[in-house]
Amino acid sequence: MALTGRAALLAALGTLPVGIWEPSWTGILAVNAPLALACACDAALAAPVRRLGLARSGDTSVRLGETADVTLTVTNPSGRLLRARLRDAWPPSSWEPGTEVAASRHRLTVPAGERRRLTTRLRPTRRGDRQADRVTIRSYGPLGLFSRQGSHQVPWTVRVLPPFTSRKHLPSKLARLRELDGRTSVLTRGEGTEFDSLREYVPGDDTRSIDWRATARQTKVAVRTWRPERDRHILLVLDTGRTSAGRVGDAPRLDASMDAALLLAALASRAGDRVDLLAYDRRVRALVQGRSAGDVLPSLVNAMATLEPELVETDARGLTATALRTAPRRSLIVLLTSLDAAPIEEGLLPVLSGLTHRHTVLVASVADPHIARMATARGSAEAVYEAAAAAQAQTERHRTAEQLQRHGVTVVDAVPDNLAPALADAYLALKAAGRL
Protein backbone atom coordinates (compact mmCIF):
# COMPACT_ATOMS: atom_id res chain seq x y z
CA MET A 1 0.00 0.00 0.00
CA ALA A 2 1.26 3.48 -0.82
CA LEU A 3 0.94 6.31 1.70
CA THR A 4 -0.85 9.11 -0.16
CA GLY A 5 -2.56 11.05 2.63
CA ARG A 6 0.58 11.70 4.67
CA ALA A 7 0.17 15.48 4.87
CA ALA A 8 -3.46 15.19 5.95
CA LEU A 9 -2.57 12.52 8.51
CA LEU A 10 0.21 14.56 10.09
CA ALA A 11 -2.07 17.60 10.23
CA ALA A 12 -4.69 15.51 12.04
CA LEU A 13 -2.19 14.35 14.63
CA GLY A 14 -2.24 17.65 16.45
CA THR A 15 -1.25 16.07 19.79
CA LEU A 16 2.24 15.13 18.57
CA PRO A 17 5.10 16.96 20.33
CA VAL A 18 6.48 19.98 18.54
CA GLY A 19 9.66 19.30 16.57
CA ILE A 20 8.85 15.66 15.73
CA TRP A 21 8.94 15.72 11.92
CA GLU A 22 9.19 12.02 11.20
CA PRO A 23 6.96 10.21 13.73
CA SER A 24 7.14 6.43 13.81
CA TRP A 25 4.03 4.27 13.51
CA THR A 26 4.52 3.26 17.15
CA GLY A 27 4.35 6.91 18.17
CA ILE A 28 1.27 7.50 16.11
CA LEU A 29 -0.54 4.55 17.63
CA ALA A 30 0.43 5.65 21.13
CA VAL A 31 -0.74 9.21 20.67
CA ASN A 32 -3.84 8.72 18.54
CA ALA A 33 -4.82 5.09 18.18
CA PRO A 34 -8.38 5.85 16.95
CA LEU A 35 -7.10 7.88 14.03
CA ALA A 36 -4.57 5.19 13.14
CA LEU A 37 -7.38 2.66 13.22
CA ALA A 38 -9.41 4.89 10.89
CA CYS A 39 -6.48 5.06 8.48
CA ALA A 40 -6.14 1.28 8.53
CA CYS A 41 -9.84 0.90 7.84
CA ASP A 42 -9.58 3.43 5.00
CA ALA A 43 -6.86 1.34 3.42
CA ALA A 44 -8.84 -1.86 3.91
CA LEU A 45 -11.94 -0.36 2.26
CA ALA A 46 -10.05 0.70 -0.89
CA ALA A 47 -11.13 -1.52 -3.76
CA PRO A 48 -8.44 -4.00 -4.89
CA VAL A 49 -6.67 -3.06 -8.11
CA ARG A 50 -5.41 -6.44 -9.26
CA ARG A 51 -8.88 -7.95 -9.55
CA LEU A 52 -10.21 -5.23 -11.84
CA GLY A 53 -11.15 -6.25 -15.38
CA LEU A 54 -10.02 -3.97 -18.22
CA ALA A 55 -10.83 -4.16 -21.92
CA ARG A 56 -10.35 -1.79 -24.87
CA SER A 57 -12.39 -0.85 -27.92
CA GLY A 58 -12.51 2.04 -30.37
CA ASP A 59 -10.52 3.32 -33.34
CA THR A 60 -7.76 1.21 -34.82
CA SER A 61 -6.58 3.71 -37.42
CA VAL A 62 -6.49 7.47 -37.86
CA ARG A 63 -5.05 9.91 -40.37
CA LEU A 64 -2.13 12.00 -39.19
CA GLY A 65 -3.44 15.25 -37.73
CA GLU A 66 -6.87 13.83 -36.80
CA THR A 67 -8.10 12.38 -33.50
CA ALA A 68 -8.76 8.79 -32.49
CA ASP A 69 -10.89 7.69 -29.52
CA VAL A 70 -9.93 4.56 -27.60
CA THR A 71 -12.44 3.39 -24.98
CA LEU A 72 -11.30 1.60 -21.82
CA THR A 73 -13.94 -0.44 -19.97
CA VAL A 74 -13.19 -0.94 -16.25
CA THR A 75 -15.10 -3.71 -14.46
CA ASN A 76 -15.15 -3.85 -10.65
CA PRO A 77 -15.86 -7.46 -9.55
CA SER A 78 -15.15 -6.78 -5.87
CA GLY A 79 -17.70 -5.92 -3.19
CA ARG A 80 -16.20 -2.47 -2.60
CA LEU A 81 -16.77 0.86 -4.30
CA LEU A 82 -13.87 1.81 -6.55
CA ARG A 83 -12.71 5.40 -6.22
CA ALA A 84 -9.67 5.78 -8.42
CA ARG A 85 -7.36 7.84 -10.53
CA LEU A 86 -6.23 6.19 -13.75
CA ARG A 87 -3.40 6.84 -16.17
CA ASP A 88 -3.76 5.39 -19.68
CA ALA A 89 -0.18 5.48 -20.95
CA TRP A 90 0.68 5.76 -24.67
CA PRO A 91 3.89 6.79 -26.51
CA PRO A 92 4.63 10.55 -26.30
CA SER A 93 3.95 11.04 -30.03
CA SER A 94 0.32 10.00 -29.45
CA TRP A 95 -0.51 13.58 -28.45
CA GLU A 96 0.51 17.08 -29.33
CA PRO A 97 3.20 18.45 -26.96
CA GLY A 98 1.79 19.63 -23.64
CA THR A 99 -1.54 17.79 -23.88
CA GLU A 100 -0.51 14.33 -22.64
CA VAL A 101 -1.33 14.86 -18.95
CA ALA A 102 -4.84 16.14 -19.55
CA ALA A 103 -5.59 13.47 -22.15
CA SER A 104 -4.23 10.40 -20.35
CA ARG A 105 -5.36 11.02 -16.74
CA HIS A 106 -8.87 10.12 -15.63
CA ARG A 107 -10.93 9.96 -12.44
CA LEU A 108 -13.56 7.28 -12.11
CA THR A 109 -15.96 5.75 -9.62
CA VAL A 110 -17.22 2.20 -10.18
CA PRO A 111 -19.78 0.67 -7.79
CA ALA A 112 -19.29 -2.94 -6.72
CA GLY A 113 -20.13 -5.40 -9.49
CA GLU A 114 -20.53 -2.70 -12.15
CA ARG A 115 -18.46 -1.33 -15.02
CA ARG A 116 -17.66 2.09 -16.39
CA ARG A 117 -16.23 3.32 -19.67
CA LEU A 118 -13.78 6.15 -20.15
CA THR A 119 -12.32 7.48 -23.40
CA THR A 120 -8.75 8.46 -24.16
CA ARG A 121 -8.52 10.81 -27.13
CA LEU A 122 -5.33 10.52 -29.15
CA ARG A 123 -3.98 13.06 -31.61
CA PRO A 124 -0.79 11.51 -33.01
CA THR A 125 2.03 13.66 -34.36
CA ARG A 126 3.83 10.93 -36.32
CA ARG A 127 2.90 8.17 -38.74
CA GLY A 128 3.17 4.51 -37.78
CA ASP A 129 1.75 2.16 -35.18
CA ARG A 130 1.03 3.57 -31.71
CA GLN A 131 0.76 0.80 -29.13
CA ALA A 132 -0.85 1.28 -25.73
CA ASP A 133 1.43 0.98 -22.72
CA ARG A 134 0.27 -0.05 -19.25
CA VAL A 135 -2.81 1.24 -17.46
CA THR A 136 -1.97 2.37 -13.93
CA ILE A 137 -4.79 2.62 -11.36
CA ARG A 138 -4.63 4.12 -7.88
CA SER A 139 -7.61 3.06 -5.73
CA TYR A 140 -8.48 5.26 -2.73
CA GLY A 141 -10.36 4.51 0.48
CA PRO A 142 -13.41 6.54 1.58
CA LEU A 143 -11.24 9.07 3.48
CA GLY A 144 -8.65 9.40 0.76
CA LEU A 145 -5.76 8.84 3.18
CA PHE A 146 -4.35 5.65 1.69
CA SER A 147 -4.42 3.98 -1.70
CA ARG A 148 -3.71 0.74 -3.48
CA GLN A 149 -1.85 0.99 -6.78
CA GLY A 150 -1.27 -1.46 -9.59
CA SER A 151 -0.83 -1.71 -13.35
CA HIS A 152 -2.51 -3.73 -16.08
CA GLN A 153 -1.35 -4.49 -19.62
CA VAL A 154 -4.28 -3.86 -21.97
CA PRO A 155 -2.91 -4.16 -25.55
CA TRP A 156 -4.25 -1.95 -28.32
CA THR A 157 -2.74 -0.56 -31.52
CA VAL A 158 -3.74 2.54 -33.45
CA ARG A 159 -2.20 2.85 -36.92
CA VAL A 160 -1.49 6.45 -37.90
CA LEU A 161 -1.96 6.80 -41.67
CA PRO A 162 -0.50 9.40 -44.06
CA PRO A 163 -2.73 12.49 -44.13
CA PHE A 164 -3.13 12.61 -47.96
CA THR A 165 -3.38 16.40 -47.98
CA SER A 166 -3.12 16.49 -51.78
CA ARG A 167 -6.60 14.95 -52.05
CA LYS A 168 -7.90 18.50 -52.59
CA HIS A 169 -6.31 18.47 -56.07
CA LEU A 170 -8.09 15.30 -57.16
CA PRO A 171 -11.32 16.91 -58.53
CA SER A 172 -9.43 19.20 -60.91
CA LYS A 173 -7.20 16.37 -62.12
CA LEU A 174 -10.22 14.13 -62.68
CA ALA A 175 -11.81 16.88 -64.76
CA ARG A 176 -8.69 16.98 -66.92
CA LEU A 177 -8.81 13.19 -67.16
CA ARG A 178 -12.40 13.32 -68.39
CA GLU A 179 -11.28 15.71 -71.11
CA LEU A 180 -8.65 13.22 -72.21
CA ASP A 181 -11.23 10.47 -72.06
CA GLY A 182 -13.41 12.31 -74.56
CA ARG A 183 -16.32 13.19 -72.30
CA THR A 184 -16.02 16.95 -72.47
CA SER A 185 -13.67 17.69 -75.36
CA VAL A 186 -12.12 16.37 -78.55
CA LEU A 187 -9.93 13.30 -78.13
CA THR A 188 -6.28 13.41 -79.11
CA ARG A 189 -4.07 11.16 -81.18
CA GLY A 190 -1.03 9.38 -79.76
CA GLU A 191 0.97 6.19 -79.94
CA GLY A 192 -0.76 4.71 -76.92
CA THR A 193 -4.34 5.47 -77.95
CA GLU A 194 -7.12 3.43 -79.44
CA PHE A 195 -9.82 4.30 -82.01
CA ASP A 196 -13.06 5.63 -80.51
CA SER A 197 -15.40 7.12 -83.14
CA LEU A 198 -15.81 9.36 -86.22
CA ARG A 199 -16.88 12.98 -86.30
CA GLU A 200 -16.93 15.89 -88.74
CA TYR A 201 -13.66 17.68 -89.44
CA VAL A 202 -13.19 21.13 -87.92
CA PRO A 203 -10.37 23.58 -88.72
CA GLY A 204 -7.33 22.84 -86.59
CA ASP A 205 -7.75 19.07 -86.52
CA ASP A 206 -4.70 16.95 -87.26
CA THR A 207 -4.96 15.99 -90.93
CA ARG A 208 -3.44 12.60 -90.09
CA SER A 209 -6.70 11.78 -88.32
CA ILE A 210 -8.82 12.15 -91.49
CA ASP A 211 -10.58 8.92 -92.43
CA TRP A 212 -10.51 9.09 -96.24
CA ARG A 213 -12.69 6.03 -96.74
CA ALA A 214 -15.43 7.43 -94.52
CA THR A 215 -15.03 10.80 -96.21
CA ALA A 216 -15.54 9.18 -99.64
CA ARG A 217 -18.82 7.67 -98.48
CA GLN A 218 -20.26 11.02 -97.41
CA THR A 219 -20.18 14.64 -98.44
CA LYS A 220 -18.25 15.90 -95.42
CA VAL A 221 -14.69 15.26 -94.25
CA ALA A 222 -14.64 12.74 -91.39
CA VAL A 223 -11.89 12.42 -88.79
CA ARG A 224 -11.16 9.67 -86.29
CA THR A 225 -11.20 10.36 -82.56
CA TRP A 226 -8.96 8.45 -80.22
CA ARG A 227 -9.26 7.34 -76.64
CA PRO A 228 -6.24 6.98 -74.35
CA GLU A 229 -5.67 3.31 -73.63
CA ARG A 230 -6.75 1.93 -70.28
CA ASP A 231 -5.41 -0.87 -68.17
CA ARG A 232 -1.86 0.47 -68.25
CA HIS A 233 0.47 -0.60 -65.45
CA ILE A 234 2.01 1.99 -63.13
CA LEU A 235 4.69 1.12 -60.58
CA LEU A 236 5.28 3.69 -57.84
CA VAL A 237 8.79 3.31 -56.42
CA LEU A 238 9.54 5.05 -53.12
CA ASP A 239 13.22 5.52 -52.35
CA THR A 240 13.42 5.09 -48.55
CA GLY A 241 17.19 5.58 -48.31
CA ARG A 242 19.07 8.30 -46.45
CA THR A 243 18.15 11.12 -48.86
CA SER A 244 14.47 10.59 -48.04
CA ALA A 245 15.20 11.44 -44.39
CA GLY A 246 16.15 15.05 -45.15
CA ARG A 247 13.60 17.38 -43.66
CA VAL A 248 11.90 19.97 -45.82
CA GLY A 249 9.87 22.22 -43.57
CA ASP A 250 8.33 20.18 -40.76
CA ALA A 251 8.43 16.75 -42.41
CA PRO A 252 10.93 14.44 -44.10
CA ARG A 253 11.07 14.27 -47.89
CA LEU A 254 9.59 10.79 -47.73
CA ASP A 255 6.26 12.17 -46.46
CA ALA A 256 5.95 14.58 -49.39
CA SER A 257 6.79 11.74 -51.79
CA MET A 258 4.07 9.59 -50.22
CA ASP A 259 1.51 12.33 -50.61
CA ALA A 260 2.36 12.75 -54.29
CA ALA A 261 2.23 8.98 -54.83
CA LEU A 262 -1.23 8.78 -53.26
CA LEU A 263 -2.65 11.48 -55.52
CA LEU A 264 -1.21 9.81 -58.59
CA ALA A 265 -2.54 6.41 -57.47
CA ALA A 266 -6.03 7.83 -56.93
CA LEU A 267 -5.98 9.49 -60.34
CA ALA A 268 -4.55 6.51 -62.22
CA SER A 269 -6.98 4.06 -60.67
CA ARG A 270 -9.87 6.29 -61.79
CA ALA A 271 -8.34 6.25 -65.27
CA GLY A 272 -8.57 2.46 -65.34
CA ASP A 273 -4.84 1.86 -64.87
CA ARG A 274 -3.34 -0.71 -62.49
CA VAL A 275 -1.17 0.72 -59.72
CA ASP A 276 1.47 -1.11 -57.67
CA LEU A 277 3.84 0.18 -54.98
CA LEU A 278 7.44 -0.69 -54.18
CA ALA A 279 9.38 0.90 -51.29
CA TYR A 280 13.09 0.10 -51.38
CA ASP A 281 16.50 1.16 -50.06
CA ARG A 282 18.71 -1.92 -49.70
CA ARG A 283 15.80 -4.29 -49.37
CA VAL A 284 12.07 -4.23 -49.99
CA ARG A 285 10.34 -2.22 -47.27
CA ALA A 286 6.82 -2.44 -48.72
CA LEU A 287 5.22 -4.08 -51.74
CA VAL A 288 1.60 -3.73 -52.87
CA GLN A 289 0.54 -5.60 -55.99
CA GLY A 290 -2.59 -6.75 -57.76
CA ARG A 291 -5.13 -4.61 -55.95
CA SER A 292 -8.44 -3.70 -57.52
CA ALA A 293 -9.29 -0.08 -58.31
CA GLY A 294 -11.46 0.22 -55.21
CA ASP A 295 -8.88 -1.34 -52.90
CA VAL A 296 -5.64 0.14 -54.20
CA LEU A 297 -5.74 3.44 -52.30
CA PRO A 298 -6.53 1.93 -48.85
CA SER A 299 -3.81 -0.68 -49.44
CA LEU A 300 -1.23 1.96 -50.33
CA VAL A 301 -2.13 4.14 -47.35
CA ASN A 302 -1.88 1.18 -44.99
CA ALA A 303 1.48 0.09 -46.43
CA MET A 304 2.93 3.60 -46.26
CA ALA A 305 1.85 4.17 -42.65
CA THR A 306 4.78 2.32 -41.09
CA LEU A 307 7.48 3.37 -43.57
CA GLU A 308 10.37 5.35 -42.16
CA PRO A 309 13.53 6.63 -43.89
CA GLU A 310 16.53 4.34 -43.45
CA LEU A 311 19.91 6.00 -42.88
CA VAL A 312 21.64 3.93 -45.56
CA GLU A 313 22.66 4.61 -49.14
CA THR A 314 20.07 3.24 -51.55
CA ASP A 315 21.25 0.31 -53.63
CA ALA A 316 20.33 1.58 -57.11
CA ARG A 317 21.24 -1.70 -58.80
CA GLY A 318 19.07 -3.68 -56.40
CA LEU A 319 16.23 -1.17 -56.77
CA THR A 320 16.36 -1.45 -60.56
CA ALA A 321 16.41 -5.25 -60.49
CA THR A 322 13.49 -5.38 -58.06
CA ALA A 323 11.49 -2.90 -60.16
CA LEU A 324 12.06 -4.99 -63.29
CA ARG A 325 10.87 -8.12 -61.50
CA THR A 326 7.82 -6.29 -60.17
CA ALA A 327 6.95 -4.86 -63.61
CA PRO A 328 7.84 -7.56 -66.17
CA ARG A 329 5.77 -5.93 -68.94
CA ARG A 330 5.96 -2.39 -70.27
CA SER A 331 4.89 0.04 -67.56
CA LEU A 332 5.19 3.57 -66.30
CA ILE A 333 7.74 3.51 -63.48
CA VAL A 334 7.49 6.54 -61.21
CA LEU A 335 10.62 6.82 -59.07
CA LEU A 336 10.24 9.21 -56.14
CA THR A 337 13.80 9.96 -55.10
CA SER A 338 16.32 12.76 -54.63
CA LEU A 339 17.92 14.82 -57.39
CA ASP A 340 21.16 15.13 -55.46
CA ALA A 341 24.05 14.76 -57.88
CA ALA A 342 26.03 12.02 -56.12
CA PRO A 343 23.23 9.43 -55.68
CA ILE A 344 22.03 9.99 -59.26
CA GLU A 345 25.39 10.05 -61.04
CA GLU A 346 27.03 7.27 -59.03
CA GLY A 347 23.96 5.15 -58.34
CA LEU A 348 21.05 5.56 -60.75
CA LEU A 349 22.59 6.66 -64.07
CA PRO A 350 24.82 3.59 -64.56
CA VAL A 351 21.78 1.26 -64.31
CA LEU A 352 19.11 3.55 -65.76
CA SER A 353 19.22 2.06 -69.25
CA GLY A 354 17.83 -1.20 -67.87
CA LEU A 355 14.65 0.66 -66.92
CA THR A 356 14.29 3.03 -69.88
CA HIS A 357 14.83 0.24 -72.40
CA ARG A 358 11.67 -1.56 -71.29
CA HIS A 359 9.61 1.08 -69.51
CA THR A 360 8.58 4.72 -69.50
CA VAL A 361 10.39 6.28 -66.53
CA LEU A 362 9.36 9.36 -64.56
CA VAL A 363 11.52 10.71 -61.72
CA ALA A 364 9.87 12.95 -59.13
CA SER A 365 11.84 14.81 -56.48
CA VAL A 366 11.08 17.11 -53.55
CA ALA A 367 12.75 20.51 -53.83
CA ASP A 368 13.56 22.62 -50.80
CA PRO A 369 11.65 25.95 -50.87
CA HIS A 370 14.28 27.42 -48.55
CA ILE A 371 16.82 27.22 -51.38
CA ALA A 372 14.60 29.35 -53.61
CA ARG A 373 14.24 31.95 -50.84
CA MET A 374 17.99 31.98 -50.29
CA ALA A 375 18.58 32.58 -54.00
CA THR A 376 16.72 35.90 -53.82
CA ALA A 377 18.43 37.11 -50.63
CA ARG A 378 20.25 40.46 -50.80
CA GLY A 379 21.18 43.34 -48.51
CA SER A 380 24.23 42.02 -46.66
CA ALA A 381 27.41 40.08 -47.32
CA GLU A 382 25.95 37.03 -45.58
CA ALA A 383 22.79 37.20 -47.71
CA VAL A 384 24.86 37.45 -50.90
CA TYR A 385 26.88 34.39 -49.92
CA GLU A 386 23.63 32.50 -49.22
CA ALA A 387 22.27 33.55 -52.62
CA ALA A 388 25.44 32.31 -54.33
CA ALA A 389 25.27 28.97 -52.51
CA ALA A 390 21.60 28.58 -53.43
CA ALA A 391 22.29 29.40 -57.07
CA GLN A 392 25.05 26.81 -57.16
CA ALA A 393 22.74 24.19 -55.64
CA GLN A 394 20.00 25.00 -58.15
CA THR A 395 22.43 24.82 -61.08
CA GLU A 396 23.66 21.41 -59.94
CA ARG A 397 20.10 20.19 -59.54
CA HIS A 398 19.16 21.38 -63.04
CA ARG A 399 22.25 19.68 -64.49
CA THR A 400 21.25 16.41 -62.83
CA ALA A 401 17.72 16.71 -64.21
CA GLU A 402 19.09 17.35 -67.72
CA GLN A 403 21.24 14.21 -67.47
CA LEU A 404 18.13 12.18 -66.69
CA GLN A 405 16.18 13.80 -69.51
CA ARG A 406 18.91 12.91 -72.00
CA HIS A 407 18.22 9.29 -71.09
CA GLY A 408 14.52 9.73 -71.96
CA VAL A 409 13.34 10.24 -68.39
CA THR A 410 10.58 12.71 -67.53
CA VAL A 411 11.61 14.76 -64.49
CA VAL A 412 9.31 16.51 -62.01
CA ASP A 413 11.08 18.72 -59.47
CA ALA A 414 8.82 20.73 -57.17
CA VAL A 415 8.48 21.95 -53.60
CA PRO A 416 6.38 19.78 -51.25
CA ASP A 417 3.14 21.71 -51.72
CA ASN A 418 3.41 21.54 -55.52
CA LEU A 419 4.92 18.09 -56.04
CA ALA A 420 1.66 16.11 -55.97
CA PRO A 421 -0.24 18.22 -58.56
CA ALA A 422 2.89 18.53 -60.72
CA LEU A 423 3.32 14.75 -60.75
CA ALA A 424 -0.35 14.27 -61.62
CA ASP A 425 0.01 16.76 -64.49
CA ALA A 426 3.05 14.89 -65.80
CA TYR A 427 1.07 11.63 -65.77
CA LEU A 428 -1.81 13.26 -67.66
CA ALA A 429 0.62 14.74 -70.19
CA LEU A 430 2.15 11.30 -70.82
CA LYS A 431 -1.33 9.86 -71.21
CA ALA A 432 -2.41 12.60 -73.59
CA ALA A 433 0.73 12.08 -75.67
CA GLY A 434 0.04 8.35 -75.88
CA ARG A 435 3.30 7.43 -74.17
CA LEU A 436 1.71 5.03 -71.67
Side-chain angles (χ1 to χ4, degrees), residues 33-302:
L35 182 58
L37 180 61
C39 292
C41 292
D42 188 52
L45 292 174
V49 173
R50 299 294 181 185
R51 294 175 55 192
L52 296 176
L54 286 85
R56 291 190 187 274
S57 61
D59 296 330
T60 56
S61 63
V62 61
R63 289 194 181 277
L64 183 65
E66 298 179 359
T67 59
D69 291 338
V70 179
T71 300
L72 185 67
T73 302
V74 181
T75 304
N76 179 15
S78 71
R80 307 170 196 168
L81 176 67
L82 173 67
R83 308 172 185 85
R85 292 183 181 178
L86 181 147
R87 178 175 182 256
D88 190 4
W90 290 75
S93 58
S94 301
W95 294 281
E96 293 178 344
T99 64
E100 176 183 359
V101 173
S104 63
R105 268 72 167 180
H106 307 272
R107 290 179 178 269
L108 75 159
T109 301
V110 185
E114 296 187 14
R115 66 183 63 179
R116 293 292 184 270
R117 293 182 176 86
L118 53 90
T119 299
T120 300
R121 176 157 291 179
L122 309 178
R123 192 179 182 88
T125 58
R126 291 180 57 189
R127 287 183 295 100
D129 290 340
R130 297 292 168 267
Q131 297 180 344
D133 201 346
R134 67 190 65 187
V135 176
T136 302
I137 302 176
R138 181 172 291 176
S139 172
Y140 291 90
L143 300 178
L145 299 176
F146 288 82
S147 70
R148 303 170 183 266
Q149 181 169 307
S151 297
H152 293 256
Q153 294 290 344
V154 191
W156 193 261
T157 301
V158 175
R159 174 156 290 188
V160 186
L161 307 173
F164 193 12
T165 55
S166 62
R167 185 190 296 269
K168 61 188 177 183
H169 298 290
L170 187 56
S172 62
K173 304 308 174 187
L174 288 175
R176 173 60 181 152
L177 179 64
R178 286 192 292 270
E179 293 179 2
L180 293 179
D181 220 12
R183 297 172 189 167
T184 59
S185 71
V186 176
L187 297 173
T188 58
R189 171 71 165 153
E191 295 177 0
T193 55
E194 57 187 13
F195 175 73
D196 180 63
S197 62
L198 293 170
R199 63 168 175 79
E200 184 180 348
Y201 174 85
V202 295
D205 283 341
D206 188 346
T207 55
R208 293 175 298 176
S209 296
I210 296 176
D211 190 320
W212 296 108
R213 290 187 178 181
T215 300
R217 292 194 299 267
Q218 56 188 22
T219 59
K220 297 180 180 178
V221 178
V223 295
R224 302 184 188 95
T225 58
W226 307 87
R227 182 183 306 277
E229 289 187 11
R230 291 177 173 268
D231 198 30
R232 302 294 88 189
H233 180 225
I234 298 173
L235 176 61
L236 304 172
V237 182
L238 285 174
D239 179 359
T240 56
R242 66 168 183 84
T243 56
S244 68
R247 300 188 72 84
V248 178
D250 296 330
R253 281 187 167 90
L254 181 59
D255 285 30
S257 297
M258 288 180 182
D259 194 52
L262 289 175
L263 179 63
L264 179 55
L267 180 61
S269 62
R270 298 285 187 92
D273 293 333
R274 294 173 291 111
V275 182
D276 293 339
L277 169 72
L278 170 66
Y280 192 95
D281 42 72
R282 290 190 176 178
R283 64 180 180 88
V284 176
R285 301 290 176 177
L287 181 62
V288 178
Q289 286 182 287
R291 298 297 193 273
S292 63
D295 188 50
V296 63
L297 199 60
S299 298
L300 294 185
V301 169
N302 192 59

Side-chain angles (χ1 to χ4, degrees), residues 5-16 28 31-32 34-36 38-39 145:
R6 181 169 184 150
L9 180 60
L10 292 178
L13 297 176
T15 57
L16 288 177
I28 293 175
V31 175
N32 203 331
L35 182 58
C39 292
L145 299 176

